[in-house]
Amino acid sequence: MPGAKRFEKKGYAKPKHTRSTIKRLASYMAQYKALWIAVFILIAVNAGSSVVSSYAIKPALNDYIIPLIGKQNPDLTKFIKMLALVFSIFAAGAFASWGSSRIMLHISSDVLFRIRSDLFEKLETLPIKYYDTRTHGEIMSRFTNDIDTLRDVFSQSLMQLFSSALTVSGIFAMMIVLSPALTLIAVASIAFIMLLAAFVGKKSAGAFCDQQKNIGRVNGYVEELIEGLRVVKVFNHEREAIASFALLNGELCASGTRANA
């Protein structure tokens, strides 16, 4: 039974064929143009509702709440109408968020099913040498962990990126209208935060890559142990197998901690 030494940790390497990979993923998503347009419209509605509802606090305080302070019999008709309007905006944003999430769930599930199907067809055409040089766990990791990462990208990251871009743009425009001085201070603070996030992102990218590699190594080692369980029992290799697994699992936990730090 091979030990854990053959799973030596390698340094972080930059992704290969990034452009071609993005183009291939885009070709999968291009078949849902109508749904993508609907998603973008719903995300725009959600972002717009967030911006408008945030701005509505100012007129609600200045025009409705503050003038009513101290009055014995205040007329709440206009204030109630304002609350109804704000509630309608929130409801529209919540419905748009729900609708975009449901559509993205359908797109991501369908795209990932096609990717897994194409990947399985590709495996059927590969030579035997490919399987001799890779463990079963490493191959399984392609179908599970790597593709699950794509699910997160399709169902969450893309939506959050577009929604955040629209929300930030709308809020920034609103801030300039309300107070240019405070806007300048906020922009300086955001620039500092972005530089800090970029620094942390570079560190966590290598840790995330190591985490994915270690997951494949752990899966491969467990697969070999299960297939060679009788050999392990015959030669009393339980302690060595547990020690090797503990070493690999420790590296996985350590890389996961670095990725989530």
Side-chain angles (χ1 to χ4, degrees):
M1 180 66 61
K5 292 183 178 179
R6 70 192 198 86
F7 296 107
E8 295 180 355
K9 189 176 180 180
K10 298 181 181 179
Y12 169 67
K14 292 184 178 180
K16 297 180 180 179
H17 313 295
T18 303
R19 292 185 178 179
S20 59
T21 302
I22 294 176
K23 288 181 180 179
R24 292 186 64 181
L25 292 177
S27 65
Y28 282 102
M29 296 184 294
Q31 301 183 10
Y32 307 92
K33 293 181 180 179
L35 294 179
W36 278 112
I37 293 174
V39 168
F40 290 150
I41 292 175
L42 292 174
I43 291 176
V45 171
N46 184 26
S49 66
S50 299
V51 175
V52 174
S53 59
S54 299
Y55 177 76
I57 297 176
K58 178 183 177 181
L61 289 173
N62 296 338
D63 301 336
Y64 299 100
I65 296 178
I66 295 178
L68 297 178
I69 296 176
K71 292 185 178 181
Q72 296 181 353
N73 297 315
D75 186 7
L76 301 178
T77 304
K78 294 182 179 180
F79 181 65
I80 294 175
K81 291 181 179 180
M82 180 68 181
L83 289 179
L85 177 61
V86 173
F87 178 79
S88 300
I89 294 174
F90 273 114
F95 177 78
S97 177
W98 175 81
S100 60
S101 299
R102 294 291 300 177
I103 296 175
M104 282 303 304
L105 180 63
H106 170 72
I107 295 175
S108 61
S109 299
D110 199 6
V111 168
L112 293 180
F113 173 77
R114 293 176 55 233
I115 290 177
R116 282 195 172 99
S117 299
D118 294 344
L119 187 58
F120 182 77
E121 293 178 0
K122 179 64 176 180
L123 289 178
E124 292 181 325
T125 62
L126 294 176
I128 302 298
K129 180 181 178 182
Y130 178 84
Y131 299 96
D132 291 338
T133 56
R134 289 168 177 81
T135 62
H136 293 170
E138 183 179 355
I139 298 174
M140 289 168 54
S141 181
R142 302 289 184 183
F143 284 86
T144 56
N145 300 296
D146 294 349
I147 295 183
D148 285 342
T149 302
L150 290 178
R151 173 184 285 109
D152 295 336
V153 172
F154 292 144
S155 61
Q156 298 179 9
S157 299
L158 289 178
M159 290 179 56
Q160 291 177 355
L161 179 62
F162 186 68
S163 178
S164 299
L166 290 178
T167 304
V168 170
S169 300
I171 292 177
F172 182 73
M174 199 68 65
M175 289 171 60
I176 293 177
V177 173
L178 295 176
S179 178
L182 291 178
T183 302
L184 182 61
I185 296 175
V187 168
S189 302
I190 292 173
F192 174 75
I193 294 174
M194 291 180 64
L195 292 176
L196 183 62
F199 175 77
V200 175
K202 290 181 180 179
K203 297 293 184 180
S204 62
F208 180 77
C209 182
D210 291 338
Q211 182 186 21
Q212 294 300 109
K213 290 181 180 179
N214 288 326
I215 289 175
R217 291 167 183 167
V218 170
N219 289 339
Y221 190 68
V222 171
E223 180 72 20
E224 290 183 355
L225 285 179
I226 293 175
E227 291 184 354
L229 184 60
R230 294 182 178 178
V231 178
V232 173
K233 289 290 186 180
V234 169
F235 291 96
N236 295 324
H237 200 73
E238 291 90 344
R239 293 183 178 180
E240 290 80 358
I242 293 174
S244 299
F245 174 78
L247 178 61
L248 292 175
N249 190 52
E251 292 181 356
L252 174 61
C253 294
S255 62
T257 302
R258 291 193 300 270
N260 296 324

